[in-house]
Amino acid sequence: MLTVICETPGTLRAEQRERPVRGPGEVLLRVKRVGVCGTDLHIFTGNQPFLQYPRVMGHELSGVVEEAEPGGRLAVGDVCYVMPYLSCGTCVACRQGKTNCCVNIQVLGVHRDGAFTEYLALPEAFVHKADGVSLDQAAMIEFLAIGAHAVRRGNVQPGQRVLVVGAGPIGMAAMIFARLRGAEVTAIDGRQDRVDFCQRELGVAHTVTLGEGDAERLSAITGGEFFDQVFDATGNAKAIERGFGFVAHGGTYVLISVVRDTITFSDPEFHKRETTLLGSRNATTEDFETVLAAMRAGQVPTAALNTHRMALADVPADFSRLLDPAQGVVKAIVEI
């Protein structure tokens, strides 16, 4: 089977590997679509903090069941999506139902080889039917679930003023699900094309482009009060630190991003606002189901989000162009 490996930062290589053998309790999945995530781009550029090379990237995937456990809940031919966070089920987090931050988590494409390949053998518990959505849509569920999880973590309420800092795919996912909860959403990003996309395709209420006067613009949008909820999806330490200043008194700050750096903030400012600070990692089964229901209801503009496509065989040659802002990439999908 064709497999694409990231050997070292900046180096991708295609090779033939043996097709995996399904073990007890596993399904063999024929991979059909893989979404390219910011994590994959960080792996390619050498900025992913939880990874060792070489690695087969790819954790946003859909496929068709090739082999399944007799009598199990999946059958040959089922179209499926995958929860790529392989949790242990027994640690302190898993016992609380917080499988997204399992102590022993193995994330496909990060801690173990992922989906830039033709077949994967996976525990059946992490493979789910994608009835009612396309293969393309099923491959987008995971990144959208991260945004849905962050919004659920923040407990966004109708009428709240929400700021999403960073208009990449994860930030866009947070915008989509904050709006579905009835929030008034503002997007801020350094790229004009991204904030324009958010207004045109996602229907956010306000957009601000980073630069001189941006804080004043955010203040004006909220009558000087700033935002009930701020979500950071930048992956930039300085942006995260700056975002504390955009949280209203009594507000909540949710960090979806993960960075290598130590984050600092003004304790007096933090306390006088009685800010709630939350980390948001990955997603749970509940969040995946939230996304699936929204897709089935036509509430997620998946066709607009999928801006680029490539074949698996073309990944070594073409992957680097996804890093070029001029390409206008929102979500690229690899077809297998």
Side-chain angles (χ1 to χ4, degrees):
M1 64 180 187
L2 178 65
T3 302
V4 174
I5 304 158
C6 186
E7 292 187 311
T8 58
T11 304
L12 297 173
R13 179 173 58 84
E15 71 173 25
Q16 289 291 326
R17 287 188 172 184
E18 290 296 316
R19 179 168 144 173
V21 176
R22 182 181 68 83
E26 291 186 334
V27 298
L28 183 65
L29 195 71
R30 174 70 186 263
V31 182
K32 300 297 289 182
R33 305 284 190 277
V34 189
V36 178
C37 176
T39 297
D40 301 316
L41 300 175
H42 293 154
I43 291 169
F44 182 71
T45 57
N47 293 315
Q48 217 292 332
F50 302 131
L51 181 124
Q52 292 183 332
Y53 297 87
R55 181 62 70 220
V56 177
M57 301 186 296
H59 62 273
E60 302 177 3
L61 69 144
S62 63
V64 177
V65 174
E66 188 85 358
E67 297 175 10
E69 195 82 355
R73 60 182 180 79
L74 297 174
V76 173
D78 283 345
V79 174
C80 295
Y81 67 90
V82 173
M83 282 193 67
Y85 331 118
L86 308 187
S87 51
C88 71
T90 59
C91 73
V92 62
C94 288
R95 293 197 306 271
Q96 299 175 73
K98 298 178 180 180
T99 54
N100 56 304
C101 55
C102 167
V103 173
N104 306 302
I105 200 164
Q106 293 284 295
V107 179
L108 292 178
V110 179
H111 303 102
R112 59 183 278 179
D113 282 350
F116 280 22
T117 189
E118 293 184 286
Y119 293 90
L120 278 174
L122 296 166
E124 184 188 61
F126 299 96
V127 183
H128 301 271
K129 289 184 182 180
D131 295 340
V133 299
S134 68
L135 283 165
D136 284 354
Q137 289 176 312
M140 294 191 226
I141 294 173
E142 191 271 343
F143 90 85
L144 291 162
I146 292 175
H149 180 73
V151 167
R152 184 164 65 90
R153 283 280 283 157
N155 193 27
V156 171
Q157 298 297 309
Q160 284 190 323
R161 292 176 295 206
V162 167
L163 174 66
V164 179
V165 187
I170 299 299
M172 290 181 187
M175 295 173 207
I176 290 166
F177 288 94
R179 284 195 69 238
L180 288 177
R181 283 188 172 224
E184 179 186 292
V185 178
T186 298
I188 183 169
D189 194 272
R191 286 175 51 180
Q192 188 65 45
D193 64 319
R194 283 287 178 90
V195 295
D196 289 346
F197 181 95
C198 293
Q199 192 155 56
R200 182 180 68 251
E201 303 293 349
L202 308 184
V204 301
H206 310 283
T207 61
V208 176
T209 306
L210 285 171
E212 186 175 353
D214 56 4
E216 290 76 12
R217 172 71 175 134
L218 294 174
S219 176
I221 287 169
T222 59
E225 293 180 337
F226 287 103
F227 296 86
D228 304 300
Q229 304 254 0
V230 178
F231 294 85
D232 179 86
T234 65
N236 181 282
K238 294 301 181 186
I240 292 172
E241 291 176 342
R242 189 183 186 219
F244 281 90
F246 300 145
V247 183
H249 282 242
T252 298
Y253 193 17
V254 182
L255 304 184
I256 316 175
S257 296
V258 57
V259 295
R260 291 179 177 272
D261 310 81
T262 298
I263 304 301
T264 62
F265 54 89
S266 167
D267 189 59
E269 290 294 324
F270 180 79
H271 269 82
K272 79 179 187 183
R273 287 168 167 79
E274 199 179 52
T275 305
T276 298
L277 177 62
L278 296 169
S280 182
R281 187 182 185 194
N282 300 329
T284 66
T285 301
E286 179 180 344
D287 305 306
F288 277 72
E289 290 172 350
T290 295
V291 173
L292 195 56
M295 280 184 174
R296 288 170 176 155
Q299 296 173 319
V300 182
T302 49
L305 291 167
N306 175 207
T307 55
H308 291 68
R309 309 179 76 83
M310 66 179 69
L312 181 63
D314 295 331
V315 167
D318 293 348
F319 191 83
S320 62
R321 71 184 174 91
L322 301 179
L323 293 161
D324 180 5
Q327 295 291 321
V329 179
V330 176
K331 176 57 60 177
I333 289 180
V334 176
E335 291 190 69
I336 304 174

Coordinates of all heavy atoms in Angstrom, one line a residue, residues 206-274:
H206 N -19.0 40.5 13.0 CA -17.9 41.5 12.9 C -16.6 40.9 12.5 O -16.3 39.7 12.9 CB -17.8 42.3 14.2 CG -19.0 42.8 14.8 ND1 -19.7 43.9 14.3 CD2 -19.8 42.4 15.8 CE1 -20.8 44.1 15.0 NE2 -20.9 43.2 15.9
T207 N -15.8 41.6 11.8 CA -14.4 41.2 11.5 C -13.5 42.3 11.8 O -13.8 43.5 11.5 CB -14.2 40.7 10.1 OG1 -14.5 41.7 9.2 CG2 -15.1 39.5 9.8
V208 N -12.3 42.0 12.2 CA -11.2 43.0 12.5 C -9.9 42.4 11.9 O -9.6 41.2 12.2 CB -11.1 43.3 14.0 CG1 -9.9 44.2 14.2 CG2 -12.4 43.9 14.5
T209 N -9.2 43.2 11.2 CA -7.8 42.7 10.7 C -6.8 43.3 11.7 O -6.8 44.4 12.1 CB -7.6 43.3 9.3 OG1 -8.7 42.9 8.5 CG2 -6.3 42.7 8.7
L210 N -5.9 42.4 12.1 CA -4.8 42.8 13.0 C -4.0 44.0 12.4 O -3.7 44.0 11.2 CB -3.8 41.6 13.2 CG -4.2 40.5 14.1 CD1 -3.3 39.3 14.0 CD2 -4.4 40.9 15.5
G211 N -3.6 44.9 13.3 CA -2.9 46.0 12.9 C -3.2 47.2 13.7 O -3.9 47.1 14.7
E212 N -2.7 48.4 13.3 CA -2.9 49.6 14.1 C -4.3 49.9 14.3 O -5.1 49.9 13.4 CB -2.2 50.8 13.4 CG -2.2 52.0 14.2 CD -1.4 53.2 13.6 OE1 -0.8 52.9 12.5 OE2 -1.5 54.3 14.1
G213 N -4.7 50.1 15.6 CA -6.1 50.4 15.9 C -7.0 49.2 16.1 O -8.2 49.4 16.3
D214 N -6.5 48.0 16.0 CA -7.4 46.8 16.1 C -8.0 46.7 17.5 O -9.2 46.4 17.6 CB -6.6 45.6 15.7 CG -5.4 45.3 16.5 OD1 -5.1 46.1 17.5 OD2 -4.7 44.3 16.2
A215 N -7.3 47.0 18.6 CA -7.9 47.0 19.9 C -9.0 48.0 20.1 O -10.0 47.7 20.7 CB -6.8 47.2 21.0
E216 N -8.8 49.2 19.5 CA -9.8 50.2 19.6 C -11.1 49.7 18.8 O -12.2 50.0 19.3 CB -9.3 51.5 19.0 CG -8.3 52.2 19.8 CD -6.9 51.6 19.8 OE1 -6.7 50.7 18.9 OE2 -6.0 51.9 20.6
R217 N -10.9 49.1 17.7 CA -12.0 48.5 16.9 C -12.8 47.5 17.7 O -14.0 47.5 17.8 CB -11.5 47.9 15.6 CG -12.5 47.2 14.8 CD -13.5 48.1 14.2 NE -14.4 47.4 13.3 CZ -15.8 47.5 13.3 NH1 -16.3 48.3 14.1 NH2 -16.5 46.8 12.5
L218 N -12.0 46.6 18.4 CA -12.7 45.6 19.2 C -13.4 46.2 20.4 O -14.5 45.8 20.7 CB -11.7 44.6 19.8 CG -11.0 43.7 18.7 CD1 -9.9 42.9 19.4 CD2 -12.0 42.8 18.0
S219 N -12.9 47.3 21.0 CA -13.5 48.0 22.0 C -14.8 48.6 21.5 O -15.9 48.6 22.2 CB -12.6 49.1 22.6 OG -13.2 49.8 23.6
A220 N -14.8 49.2 20.3 CA -15.9 49.9 19.8 C -17.1 48.9 19.5 O -18.3 49.2 19.7 CB -15.5 50.6 18.5
I221 N -16.7 47.7 19.0 CA -17.8 46.7 18.7 C -18.6 46.4 20.0 O -19.8 46.1 19.9 CB -17.1 45.5 18.1 CG1 -16.6 45.7 16.7 CG2 -18.0 44.3 18.1 CD1 -15.7 44.7 16.1
T222 N -17.9 46.4 21.1 CA -18.6 46.0 22.4 C -18.9 47.1 23.3 O -19.1 46.9 24.5 CB -17.6 45.0 23.1 OG1 -16.4 45.7 23.4 CG2 -17.4 43.8 22.3
G223 N -18.9 48.4 22.8 CA -19.2 49.5 23.7 C -18.2 49.7 24.8 O -18.5 50.1 25.9
G224 N -16.9 49.3 24.6 CA -15.9 49.4 25.5 C -15.8 48.3 26.6 O -14.9 48.3 27.4
E225 N -16.7 47.3 26.5 CA -16.7 46.2 27.5 C -15.9 45.0 27.1 O -15.6 44.2 28.0 CB -18.2 45.8 27.7 CG -19.0 46.9 28.4 CD -20.5 46.5 28.6 OE1 -20.9 45.6 27.9 OE2 -21.1 47.1 29.5
F226 N -15.6 44.9 25.9 CA -14.9 43.7 25.3 C -15.8 42.4 25.4 O -17.0 42.6 25.4 CB -13.5 43.5 25.9 CG -12.5 44.6 25.4 CD1 -12.2 45.7 26.2 CD2 -12.0 44.5 24.2 CE1 -11.3 46.6 25.7 CE2 -11.1 45.4 23.7 CZ -10.8 46.5 24.5
F227 N -15.2 41.2 25.4 CA -16.0 40.0 25.1 C -16.3 39.1 26.2 O -15.4 38.8 27.0 CB -15.2 39.3 23.9 CG -15.1 40.1 22.7 CD1 -14.1 41.0 22.5 CD2 -16.1 40.1 21.7 CE1 -14.0 41.8 21.4 CE2 -16.1 40.8 20.6 CZ -15.0 41.7 20.4
D228 N -17.5 38.6 26.2 CA -17.8 37.6 27.3 C -17.0 36.3 27.2 O -16.7 35.7 28.2 CB -19.3 37.2 27.1 CG -20.2 38.4 27.2 OD1 -20.2 39.1 28.2 OD2 -20.9 38.6 26.1
Q229 N -16.7 35.9 25.9 CA -15.9 34.7 25.7 C -14.8 35.1 24.6 O -15.2 35.7 23.6 CB -16.7 33.6 25.1 CG -17.9 33.2 26.0 CD -17.7 31.9 26.8 OE1 -16.6 31.3 26.6 NE2 -18.6 31.5 27.5
V230 N -13.6 34.7 24.9 CA -12.5 34.9 23.9 C -11.9 33.5 23.7 O -11.6 32.8 24.6 CB -11.4 35.9 24.4 CG1 -10.3 35.9 23.3 CG2 -12.0 37.2 24.6
F231 N -11.8 33.1 22.4 CA -11.2 31.8 22.0 C -9.9 32.1 21.2 O -9.9 32.8 20.2 CB -12.1 31.0 21.1 CG -13.4 30.6 21.9 CD1 -14.5 31.4 21.9 CD2 -13.4 29.3 22.5 CE1 -15.6 31.0 22.6 CE2 -14.6 28.9 23.1 CZ -15.6 29.8 23.2
D232 N -8.8 31.6 21.7 CA -7.5 31.7 20.9 C -7.3 30.5 20.1 O -7.3 29.3 20.6 CB -6.3 31.9 21.8 CG -5.1 32.0 21.0 OD1 -4.8 33.2 20.6 OD2 -4.4 31.0 20.7
A233 N -7.1 30.7 18.8 CA -6.8 29.6 17.9 C -5.6 30.0 17.0 O -5.6 29.7 15.8 CB -8.0 29.2 17.0
T234 N -4.7 30.7 17.6 CA -3.6 31.2 16.8 C -2.3 30.4 16.7 O -1.5 30.4 15.8 CB -3.1 32.6 17.3 OG1 -2.6 32.5 18.6 CG2 -4.3 33.6 17.3
G235 N -2.1 29.6 17.8 CA -0.8 28.9 18.0 C 0.4 29.8 18.1 O 1.5 29.5 17.9
N236 N 0.1 31.0 18.6 CA 1.2 32.0 18.8 C 1.1 32.5 20.2 O 0.1 33.1 20.7 CB 0.9 33.2 17.8 CG 1.9 34.3 17.9 OD1 1.9 35.1 18.8 ND2 2.9 34.3 16.9
A237 N 2.3 32.4 20.9 CA 2.3 32.8 22.3 C 2.0 34.2 22.6 O 1.3 34.6 23.6 CB 3.7 32.4 22.9
K238 N 2.6 35.1 21.8 CA 2.3 36.5 22.0 C 0.8 36.9 21.8 O 0.3 37.7 22.5 CB 3.2 37.4 21.0 CG 4.7 37.3 21.3 CD 5.0 37.7 22.7 CE 6.5 37.6 23.0 NZ 6.8 37.9 24.4
A239 N 0.2 36.3 20.8 CA -1.2 36.5 20.6 C -2.0 36.0 21.8 O -3.0 36.6 22.2 CB -1.7 35.8 19.3
I240 N -1.6 34.8 22.3 CA -2.4 34.3 23.5 C -2.2 35.3 24.6 O -3.2 35.6 25.3 CB -1.8 32.9 23.9 CG1 -2.1 31.9 22.8 CG2 -2.4 32.5 25.2 CD1 -1.5 30.5 23.0
E241 N -1.1 35.8 24.9 CA -0.9 36.7 26.0 C -1.7 38.0 25.8 O -2.3 38.6 26.7 CB 0.6 37.0 26.1 CG 1.4 35.8 26.6 CD 2.9 36.1 26.7 OE1 3.4 37.0 26.1 OE2 3.6 35.3 27.4
R242 N -1.7 38.5 24.6 CA -2.4 39.7 24.3 C -3.9 39.5 24.5 O -4.7 40.4 24.9 CB -2.2 40.2 22.8 CG -2.7 41.5 22.5 CD -2.5 41.9 21.0 NE -2.9 43.3 20.8 CZ -3.5 43.7 19.7 NH1 -3.7 42.8 18.7 NH2 -3.8 45.0 19.5
G243 N -4.4 38.3 24.2 CA -5.8 38.0 24.2 C -6.5 38.2 25.6 O -7.7 38.4 25.7
F244 N -5.7 38.1 26.7 CA -6.2 38.3 28.0 C -6.8 39.7 28.1 O -7.8 39.9 28.9 CB -5.1 38.2 29.1 CG -4.7 36.8 29.4 CD1 -3.7 36.1 28.7 CD2 -5.4 36.1 30.5 CE1 -3.4 34.8 29.1 CE2 -5.1 34.8 30.8 CZ -4.1 34.1 30.1
G245 N -6.3 40.7 27.4 CA -6.8 42.0 27.5 C -8.2 42.2 26.7 O -8.8 43.3 26.9
F246 N -8.6 41.2 26.0 CA -9.9 41.3 25.2 C -11.0 40.7 26.0 O -12.2 40.7 25.5 CB -9.7 40.7 23.9 CG -8.7 41.3 23.0 CD1 -7.9 40.6 22.1 CD2 -8.4 42.7 23.1 CE1 -6.9 41.2 21.3 CE2 -7.4 43.3 22.3 CZ -6.7 42.5 21.4
V247 N -10.8 40.1 27.2 CA -11.8 39.4 27.9 C -12.5 40.5 28.8 O -11.9 41.2 29.5 CB -11.2 38.3 28.8 CG1 -12.3 37.6 29.5 CG2 -10.4 37.3 28.0
A248 N -13.9 40.5 28.7 CA -14.7 41.4 29.6 C -14.5 41.0 31.0 O -14.2 39.8 31.4 CB -16.1 41.3 29.1
H249 N -14.9 41.9 31.9 CA -15.0 41.6 33.3 C -16.0 40.4 33.5 O -17.1 40.5 33.0 CB -15.4 42.8 34.1 CG -14.3 43.7 34.4 ND1 -13.8 44.1 35.6 CD2 -13.4 44.4 33.5 CE1 -12.8 44.9 35.6 NE2 -12.5 45.1 34.3
G250 N -15.6 39.4 34.3 CA -16.5 38.3 34.4 C -16.5 37.3 33.3 O -17.3 36.3 33.3
G251 N -15.6 37.5 32.3 CA -15.6 36.7 31.1 C -14.7 35.5 31.2 O -14.0 35.2 32.2
T252 N -14.7 34.7 30.1 CA -14.0 33.5 29.9 C -13.0 33.5 28.8 O -13.3 34.0 27.7 CB -15.0 32.3 29.7 OG1 -15.8 32.3 30.9 CG2 -14.3 31.0 29.6
Y253 N -11.8 32.9 29.0 CA -10.8 32.8 28.0 C -10.5 31.4 27.8 O -10.1 30.7 28.7 CB -9.5 33.6 28.4 CG -8.5 33.8 27.4 CD1 -8.8 33.8 26.0 CD2 -7.2 34.2 27.7 CE1 -7.8 34.0 25.0 CE2 -6.2 34.5 26.8 CZ -6.5 34.4 25.4 OH -5.6 34.6 24.5
V254 N -10.7 30.9 26.5 CA -10.5 29.5 26.2 C -9.3 29.4 25.2 O -9.3 30.0 24.2 CB -11.7 28.9 25.5 CG1 -11.5 27.4 25.3 CG2 -13.0 29.1 26.4
L255 N -8.3 28.6 25.6 CA -7.1 28.4 24.8 C -7.2 27.1 24.1 O -7.1 26.0 24.6 CB -5.8 28.4 25.7 CG -5.6 29.7 26.6 CD1 -4.3 29.6 27.3 CD2 -5.7 30.9 25.7
I256 N -7.5 27.2 22.8 CA -7.6 26.0 21.9 C -6.1 25.7 21.5 O -5.8 24.6 21.3 CB -8.5 26.2 20.7 CG1 -9.8 26.9 21.1 CG2 -8.8 24.9 20.0 CD1 -10.7 27.2 19.9
S257 N -5.4 26.8 21.3 CA -4.0 26.6 20.8 C -3.1 25.9 21.8 O -3.3 26.0 23.0 CB -3.4 28.0 20.5 OG -4.0 28.6 19.5
V258 N -2.1 25.2 21.2 CA -1.0 24.7 22.1 C 0.3 25.3 21.5 O 0.5 25.2 20.3 CB -1.0 23.2 22.1 CG1 -0.9 22.5 20.7 CG2 0.2 22.7 23.0
V259 N 1.2 25.8 22.3 CA 2.5 26.3 21.9 C 3.6 25.8 22.8 O 3.3 25.3 23.9 CB 2.5 27.9 22.0 CG1 1.5 28.5 21.0 CG2 2.2 28.4 23.4
R260 N 4.8 25.8 22.3 CA 5.9 25.3 23.1 C 6.3 26.3 24.3 O 6.9 25.8 25.2 CB 7.2 25.2 22.2 CG 7.1 24.1 21.1 CD 8.3 24.1 20.3 NE 8.4 23.1 19.3 CZ 8.8 21.8 19.5 NH1 9.3 21.5 20.7 NH2 8.8 20.9 18.6
D261 N 5.9 27.5 24.2 CA 6.3 28.5 25.1 C 5.6 28.5 26.4 O 4.5 27.9 26.6 CB 6.1 29.9 24.5 CG 6.7 30.0 23.1 OD1 6.0 29.6 22.1 OD2 7.8 30.5 22.9
T262 N 6.2 29.2 27.4 CA 5.5 29.5 28.7 C 4.7 30.8 28.5 O 5.2 31.8 27.9 CB 6.6 29.7 29.8 OG1 7.3 28.5 30.0 CG2 5.9 30.1 31.1
I263 N 3.4 30.7 28.9 CA 2.5 31.8 28.7 C 2.5 32.6 30.0 O 2.4 32.1 31.1 CB 1.1 31.4 28.4 CG1 1.1 30.5 27.1 CG2 0.2 32.5 28.2 CD1 1.7 31.2 25.9
T264 N 2.6 34.0 30.0 CA 2.5 34.8 31.1 C 1.4 35.8 30.9 O 1.0 36.2 29.8 CB 3.8 35.6 31.4 OG1 4.1 36.4 30.3 CG2 5.0 34.6 31.6
F265 N 0.8 36.3 32.1 CA -0.2 37.3 32.0 C -0.2 38.2 33.3 O 0.4 37.7 34.3 CB -1.6 36.7 31.8 CG -2.0 35.7 32.8 CD1 -2.6 36.0 33.9 CD2 -1.7 34.3 32.5 CE1 -3.0 35.0 34.9 CE2 -2.1 33.3 33.4 CZ -2.7 33.7 34.6
S266 N -0.8 39.3 33.2 CA -0.9 40.2 34.4 C -1.8 39.7 35.4 O -3.0 39.6 35.2 CB -1.3 41.6 33.9 OG -1.6 42.4 35.1
D267 N -1.3 39.3 36.6 CA -2.2 38.8 37.6 C -3.3 39.8 38.1 O -4.4 39.4 38.3 CB -1.4 38.2 38.8 CG -2.3 37.4 39.8 OD1 -2.9 36.5 39.3 OD2 -2.3 37.9 41.0
P268 N -2.9 41.1 38.3 CA -3.9 42.0 38.8 C -5.0 42.2 37.7 O -6.2 42.2 38.1 CB -3.1 43.3 38.9 CG -1.7 42.9 39.2 CD -1.5 41.6 38.4
E269 N -4.7 42.2 36.4 CA -5.7 42.3 35.4 C -6.6 41.0 35.4 O -7.8 41.1 35.3 CB -5.1 42.5 34.0 CG -4.5 43.9 33.9 CD -5.5 45.0 33.9 OE1 -6.6 44.8 33.4 OE2 -5.2 46.1 34.5
F270 N -6.0 39.9 35.6 CA -6.7 38.6 35.6 C -7.7 38.6 36.7 O -8.8 38.2 36.6 CB -5.6 37.5 35.7 CG -6.2 36.1 35.7 CD1 -6.6 35.5 34.5 CD2 -6.3 35.4 36.9 CE1 -7.2 34.2 34.6 CE2 -6.8 34.1 36.9 CZ -7.2 33.5 35.8
H271 N -7.2 39.0 37.9 CA -8.1 38.9 39.1 C -9.2 40.0 39.1 O -10.3 39.7 39.5 CB -7.2 39.1 40.4 CG -6.7 37.8 40.9 ND1 -5.6 37.1 40.4 CD2 -7.3 37.0 41.9 CE1 -5.5 35.9 41.0 NE2 -6.5 35.8 41.9
K272 N -8.9 41.2 38.7 CA -9.9 42.2 38.7 C -11.1 41.9 37.8 O -12.2 42.3 38.0 CB -9.4 43.6 38.5 CG -9.1 44.0 37.0 CD -8.6 45.4 37.0 CE -8.5 45.9 35.5 NZ -7.9 47.3 35.5
R273 N -10.8 41.1 36.7 CA -11.9 40.7 35.8 C -12.5 39.4 36.3 O -13.6 39.0 35.8 CB -11.3 40.4 34.5 CG -10.9 41.6 33.6 CD -10.1 41.2 32.4 NE -9.9 42.2 31.4 CZ -9.0 43.2 31.5 NH1 -8.2 43.3 32.6 NH2 -8.9 44.2 30.6
E274 N -12.0 38.7 37.3 CA -12.3 37.4 37.7 C -12.5 36.5 36.5 O -13.5 35.8 36.3 CB -13.6 37.3 38.6 CG -13.7 36.0 39.4 CD -15.0 35.9 40.2 OE1 -16.1 36.2 39.7 OE2 -14.8 35.6 41.4

